[in-house]
């Protein structure tokens, strides 16, 4: 652990040595292990989708916490498209955030009760009235229900929940190590919004922080960047996709490049907070030109002396924008007929992941 004028930095190892695992970790991971074994036997690729925001509790008996922005739309929607593409999905999401299939009937945007109608009893008096699905909602519902039932029957979706950033990091590490067993067939789609700062257990108040003493000052420590050990140690063969969320669009590409350079994973998908439903950018490293026949690389080349990983040369990277038309405000967001950008994101990732597996 290092302390500087600006705060305390935990390495990933120190973090896991000092912050306790979630109570059900062993049980949850056994479920994941069994799921992966079944999918491996069936020869399927498996994607881990993380979704929703993590919290940082301020008290041990938690009354207050800091939350990270994410409804879980990106993760839940993408999970459906991965399932459609034949992947098995481990859907690791924030408790009560959106989930594949049920997301279509969120209580705020498309309340389920609005789908139902009461039909008076046929014989007029004795039997109770019947419940049926409103006629205009049937086509959409049938489509979602059919996909949902077929995924259930195939057993290709496994769901697991987190609440705090501690839960998230412990689960991510354990699941990555399990998924490492299938090597390049594993894809990681890290769409969750993960807290950058946390309050270590050792500094937390046991009971509810009392008011009445003026303003509240809390000093938080930085959460270790877990992409580095993930790439280097937990799952070295996996195809790892992280997301970068910014509110200043000009920062998207530079920050994505730095993340790729620093962590060495495969793709960063940049999204601007306000345009994320209609526009994203894929940032990745340019493929190296093929070596002449018979030439072998003996060791990783040493970077040039003036090389600065915080400011990598732009010609190392390639950017691909995906855009869909913005639907007019008159079109309700509740119909399945609206194009979702996740469909294109997943199609592009499936293409890249397939190439990655073939190269092996
Ligand atoms: O769910 P929606 O409402 O649809 O919103 C979707 C989204 C905007 C939240 C999603 O598309 C998105 O951008 N998610 C990532 C947001 C985020 O937390 O970015 P970040 O800059 O904190 O993290 C960048 C990457 O680093 C993430 O992939 C994360 O997994 C990883 N990370 C983060 C923290 C940490 N300690 N270690 C990490 O490795």
């Amino acid at each position: 652990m290092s302390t500087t004028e600006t705060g305390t930095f935990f390495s990933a190892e120190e973090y896991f040595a000092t912050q306790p695992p979630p109570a059900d970790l062993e049980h949850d991971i056994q479920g994941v292990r069994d799921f992966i074994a079944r999918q491996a036997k069936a020869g399927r690729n498996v994607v881990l989708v993380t979704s929703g925001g993590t919290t940082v509790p301020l008290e041990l008996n938690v009354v207050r916490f800091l939350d990270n922005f994410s409804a879980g739309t990106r993760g839940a929607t993408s999970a459906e498209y991965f399932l459609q593409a034949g992947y098995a999905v481990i859907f690791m999401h924030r408790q009560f955030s959106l989930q594949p299939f049920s997301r279509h009937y969120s209580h705020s945007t498309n309340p389920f009760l609005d789908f139902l109608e009461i039909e008076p009893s046929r014989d007029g008096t004795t039997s109770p009235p019947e419940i049926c699905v409103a006629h205009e909602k049937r086509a959409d519902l049938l489509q979602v229900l059919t996909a949902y039932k077929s995924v259930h029957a195939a057993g290709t979706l496994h769901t697991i929940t987190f609440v705090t950033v501690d839960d998230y990091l412990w689960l991510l590490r354990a699941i990555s190590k399990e998924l490492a067993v299938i090597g390049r067939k594993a894809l990681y789609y890290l769409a969750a919004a993960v807290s950058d700062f946390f309050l270590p257990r050792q500094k937390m108040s046991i009971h509810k922080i009392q008011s009445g003493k003026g303003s509240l000052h809390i000093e938080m420590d930085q959460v270790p960047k877990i992409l580095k050990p993930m790439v280097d140690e937990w799952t070295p063969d996996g195809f790892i996709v992280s997301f970068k969320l910014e509110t200043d669009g000009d920062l998207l590409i530079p920050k994505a490049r730095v993340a790729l350079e620093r962590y060495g994973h495969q793709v960063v998908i940049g999204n601007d907070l306000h345009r994320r439903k209609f526009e994203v950018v894929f940032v990745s490293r340019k493929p190296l030109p093929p070596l002449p026949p018979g030439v072998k690389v003996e060791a990783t080349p040493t970077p040039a002396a003036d090389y600065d990983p915080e400011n990598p040369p732009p010609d190392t990277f390639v950017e691909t924008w995906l855009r869909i038309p913005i639907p007019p405000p008159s079109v309700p967001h509740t119909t399945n007929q609206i194009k979702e950008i996740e469909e294109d994101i997943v199609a592009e990732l499936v293409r890249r992941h397939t190439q990655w597996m073939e190269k092996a």
Side-chain angles (χ1 to χ4, degrees):
M1 210 173 315
S2 60
T3 307
T4 67
E5 273 176 21
T6 46
T8 306
F9 291 88
F10 284 76
S11 68
E13 248 170 53
E14 288 160 344
Y15 186 94
F16 290 113
T18 52
Q19 305 310 306
D24 296 332
L25 185 69
E26 277 308 314
H27 174 264
D28 285 350
I29 294 307
Q30 186 57 51
V32 169
R33 194 173 297 140
D34 296 344
F35 179 78
I36 295 171
R38 281 197 303 276
Q39 306 310 327
K41 210 169 160 195
R44 288 192 190 98
N45 301 330
V46 182
V47 58
L48 170 68
V49 175
T50 73
S51 181
T54 62
T55 69
V56 173
L58 300 185
E59 299 125 342
L60 285 174
N61 288 292
V62 55
V63 174
R64 302 189 183 92
F65 56 86
L66 292 184
D67 207 346
N68 253 57
F69 159 86
S70 169
T73 315
R74 176 79 85 218
T77 310
S78 306
E80 281 182 28
Y81 287 109
F82 276 118
L83 287 161
Q84 228 178 68
Y87 278 64
V89 175
I90 300 173
F91 186 67
M92 178 176 143
H93 72 105
R94 162 75 176 278
Q95 189 184 37
F96 309 131
S97 66
L98 294 179
Q99 293 195 45
F101 307 113
S102 66
R103 73 177 172 105
H104 297 272
Y105 310 106
S106 132
H107 59 274
S108 51
T109 54
N110 201 15
F112 186 68
L113 290 180
D114 287 356
F115 274 62
L116 304 178
E117 281 173 354
I118 301 172
E119 274 196 354
S121 57
R122 295 234 172 87
D123 60 8
T125 49
T126 48
S127 53
E130 297 207 339
I131 296 172
C132 66
V133 176
H135 198 267
E136 69 281 9
K137 307 276 191 183
R138 282 184 195 170
D140 274 359
L141 181 60
L142 185 65
Q143 194 183 331
V144 176
L145 196 60
T146 307
Y148 171 77
K149 295 278 183 198
S150 94
V151 163
H152 261 248
T156 46
L157 175 63
H158 185 79
T159 299
I160 201 156
T161 58
F162 62 82
V163 177
T164 66
V165 66
D166 273 359
D167 300 342
Y168 176 87
L169 294 179
W170 275 96
L171 281 170
L172 182 63
R173 182 172 77 158
I175 296 174
S176 306
K177 288 182 174 182
E178 294 297 329
L179 261 180
V181 173
I182 60 165
R184 290 199 166 220
K185 285 172 86 76
L187 173 60
Y188 298 83
Y189 186 82
L190 306 177
V194 184
S195 324
D196 284 322
F197 302 98
F198 80 115
L199 198 55
R201 287 257 139 178
Q202 298 72 7
K203 289 191 186 171
M204 263 188 218
S205 154
I206 297 177
H207 294 292
K208 182 184 164 199
I209 299 168
Q210 295 299 310
S211 61
K213 293 182 188 156
S215 47
L216 174 65
H217 295 269
I218 299 174
E219 191 181 59
M220 303 183 104
D221 293 330
Q222 194 169 312
V223 174
K225 293 292 178 192
I226 43 74
L227 273 169
K228 187 75 185 146
M230 194 169 170
V231 173
D232 292 348
E233 299 160 33
W234 307 344
T235 183
D237 290 331
F239 189 91
I240 301 179
V241 181
S242 74
F243 278 79
K244 177 103 314 264
L245 174 67
E246 293 296 340
T247 50
D248 175 354
D250 291 345
L251 290 180
L252 273 183
I253 290 179
K255 294 270 244 172
R257 287 174 177 171
V258 169
L260 276 181
E261 203 59 9
R262 200 182 278 162
Y263 308 128
H265 58 305
Q266 283 65 44
V267 182
V268 176
I269 300 182
N271 48 178
D272 175 284
L273 179 68
H274 303 292
R275 303 184 57 78
R276 69 190 191 285
K277 292 191 193 263
F278 317 111
E279 179 183 274
V280 297
V281 58
F282 278 51
V283 185
S284 55
R285 237 169 269 104
K286 272 189 188 157
L288 293 171
L291 290 169
V295 175
K296 269 194 194 160
V297 176
E298 296 294 343
T300 315
T302 318
D306 60 351
Y307 173 74
D308 174 8
E310 296 304 306
N311 196 10
D315 64 354
T316 323
F317 304 97
V318 56
E319 283 94 37
T320 314
W321 286 92
L322 293 187
R323 293 191 175 92
I324 59 166
I326 303 177
S330 56
V331 179
H333 280 261
T334 50
T335 158
N336 302 344
Q337 311 316 323
I338 289 186
K339 169 83 178 170
E340 295 172 309
I341 196 165
E342 286 79 5
E343 181 178 2
D344 293 352
I345 296 177
V346 169
E348 176 59 14
L349 286 178
V350 168
R351 192 184 69 77
R352 292 183 185 209
H353 184 214
T354 308
Q355 273 182 1
W356 161 263
M357 287 185 289
E358 282 164 1
K359 269 194 201 149

